[in-house]
Amino acid sequence: MATTTKPQLLSDLVAGMSRVPPNYIRPTSDRPNLHEVESLDGAIPLIDLQGLNGPNRFNIIKEIGLACKSYGFFQVKNHGVSEAVIDNMLRVSREFFHLPESERLKNYCDDPMKTTRLSTSFNVNTENVSSWRDYLRLHCHPLEDYMQEWPLNPPSFREVVAEYCKNARSIALRLLEAISESLGLEKEYIDRALGKHGQHMAINYYPPCPEPDLTLGLPGHTDPNAITILLQDEVPGLQVLKDGKWVAVNPIPYTFIVNIGDQIQVLSNDQYKSVLHRAVVNCEQERISIPTFYCPSPDAMIGPAPLLINVDPPPYYRNFAYSEYYQKFWDRGLTTQTCLDAFKTSRTP
């Protein structure tokens, strides 16, 4: 049910705060252990999309397939989105979170099924420990169905975000074709499997934190959708689990980070893996990150692609409606145990 008392956003509590409140302190086993995190240039592959629709398509698709198989994450450059579109999106996102509290709270709702809502942490109705984050969640496709729900302030918000959404969708569609081909499927296979398609966005705001070693911006989780296209500002915060260790993915200006979501893991019958990732915070700088979640429409039936199953390998997942999966994801909250486990067949290795 929607909140009836005045909600409290983290960004309105942190001024002058010298300690992390108890409800944000994570259990010892789930703390970020920042001193143990590797920070490497090239932690995930950087793929140049310049020739994706040209003579170099075969090689780029091969790179994308290898990244999906070995990392579950990759970065892309020469993606076709202008620097102006990116700069405007980051600017208007920061401006939104710097609005007066009363203006921001016009958008507040803690019902995770609402299509436009401002909230804090992850799911305040179900979680035991809060995450060091406020966020604005928007549905974006079809644009004309949702734009009128979006905030009216800052004044350029709707125009800027709509332009960004169109560009993010264009990247997602091109990458889904490439991922489809990399699996040996028709390039339209994943496009068709997603039904009418869905596109959501979160604008994440991570305020400075007085004790960043005690809490997380978001705990380790996989994404429930098909693929995620992440835009982040210049402040590091994203970490990916690779070979059992957390690795920092440092921002590269004007690139996007792409990760495989749970639905691609299912469609690929485990050839490609949806990988655990998390957000850490710091004591000096606010951070903005903007993931676009490209997903099936709620009524789309998801299951392993028939061409990728046989006696060996058998189908590792049962077929299900995406709406069932999405509801379970929000009900159970962010945990390191993926929702996928609930949809596996008895033949899963």
Side-chain angles (χ1 to χ4, degrees):
M1 291 181 61
T3 298
T4 52
T5 56
K6 181 187 172 185
Q8 288 263 258
L9 294 171
L10 174 65
S11 47
D12 299 315
L13 298 174
V14 294
M17 189 185 286
S18 59
R19 305 296 298 268
V20 169
N23 58 306
Y24 287 92
I25 296 176
R26 306 206 71 84
T28 307
S29 61
D30 193 28
R31 291 181 188 171
N33 296 320
L34 298 170
H35 61 285
E36 297 177 3
V37 174
E38 295 184 20
S39 183
L40 306 169
D41 289 335
I44 60 174
L46 176 61
I47 298 175
D48 189 342
L49 297 183
Q50 182 78 55
L52 184 57
N53 292 326
N56 204 29
R57 183 175 180 83
F58 175 83
N59 291 330
I60 296 173
I61 286 173
K62 192 173 177 184
E63 278 187 77
I64 289 172
L66 187 60
C68 292
K69 200 178 192 75
S70 302
Y71 293 86
F73 269 80
F74 55 94
Q75 287 173 286
V76 294
K77 64 179 183 178
N78 292 323
H79 38 64
V81 183
S82 73
E83 292 186 3
V85 166
I86 290 172
D87 288 340
N88 286 337
M89 185 65 211
L90 289 169
R91 173 186 55 78
V92 83
S93 299
R94 191 166 278 109
E95 286 175 358
F96 175 82
F97 280 100
H98 289 174
L99 288 170
E101 177 187 26
S102 59
E103 185 64 35
R104 278 176 287 127
L105 286 178
K106 291 176 182 177
N107 304 281
Y108 189 90
C109 180
D110 60 19
D111 176 1
M113 295 301 117
K114 193 169 187 299
T115 51
T116 297
R117 65 192 183 93
L118 175 70
S119 193
T120 190
S121 190
F122 177 71
N123 186 348
V124 295
N125 297 314
T126 60
E127 62 200 6
N128 296 317
V129 182
S130 298
S131 295
W132 198 265
R133 171 186 83 139
D134 290 337
Y135 64 97
L136 179 65
R137 184 108 184 176
L138 308 172
H139 282 224
C140 318
H141 177 73
L143 269 175
E144 59 272 17
D145 288 0
Y146 299 110
M147 268 184 73
Q148 73 279 3
E149 302 176 359
W150 295 355
L152 288 166
N153 277 315
S156 62
F157 186 90
R158 291 184 178 181
E159 179 186 353
V160 166
V161 175
E163 183 61 26
Y164 177 80
C165 287
K166 288 183 230 176
N167 280 267
R169 182 167 186 265
S170 176
I171 297 175
L173 291 172
R174 291 164 64 207
L175 288 173
L176 287 172
E177 284 187 353
I179 291 167
S180 210
E181 286 188 59
S182 74
L183 287 164
L185 304 169
E186 295 176 29
K187 74 177 184 178
E188 299 86 7
Y189 181 84
I190 295 177
D191 183 308
R192 291 196 301 263
L194 301 187
K196 300 186 188 88
H197 293 211
Q199 182 181 343
H200 311 162
M201 169 194 290
I203 302 176
N204 295 320
Y205 180 75
Y206 303 99
C209 175
E211 297 175 293
D213 53 335
L214 296 182
T215 189
L216 286 164
L218 279 175
H221 64 282
T222 64
D223 289 348
N225 46 289
I227 59 169
T228 301
I229 314 287
L230 177 71
L231 171 63
Q232 54 180 345
D233 66 11
E234 71 284 356
V235 180
L238 173 66
Q239 297 183 351
V240 175
L241 193 67
K242 173 69 174 155
D243 300 326
K245 294 182 179 177
W246 289 106
V247 178
V249 180
N250 295 320
I252 302 174
Y254 302 114
T255 64
F256 292 98
I257 293 171
V258 181
N259 65 280
I260 295 303
D262 293 349
Q263 307 313 305
I264 296 292
Q265 179 165 335
V266 172
L267 287 163
S268 74
N269 204 35
D270 272 0
Q271 286 193 40
Y272 296 165
K273 293 296 174 71
S274 181
V275 172
L276 286 169
H277 52 287
R278 67 183 185 181
V280 298
V281 292
N282 72 86
C283 57
E284 296 173 352
Q285 294 176 286
E286 64 183 12
R287 175 174 178 256
I288 296 275
S289 77
I290 306 167
T292 290
F293 304 107
Y294 208 82
C295 43
S297 51
D299 60 350
M301 293 301 295
I302 304 296
L307 274 178
L308 302 180
I309 57 177
N310 210 314
V311 176
D312 184 22
Y316 295 144
Y317 301 93
R318 66 173 176 85
N319 292 346
F320 53 86
Y322 182 61
S323 57
E324 179 190 357
Y325 196 94
Y326 194 65
Q327 183 72 54
K328 187 175 287 288
F329 174 80
W330 279 100
D331 286 349
R332 75 202 298 271
L334 294 184
T335 66
T336 54
Q337 188 177 13
T338 170
C339 267
L340 285 170
D341 293 342
F343 295 84
K344 288 179 175 176
T345 67
S346 57
R347 289 171 285 188
T348 303

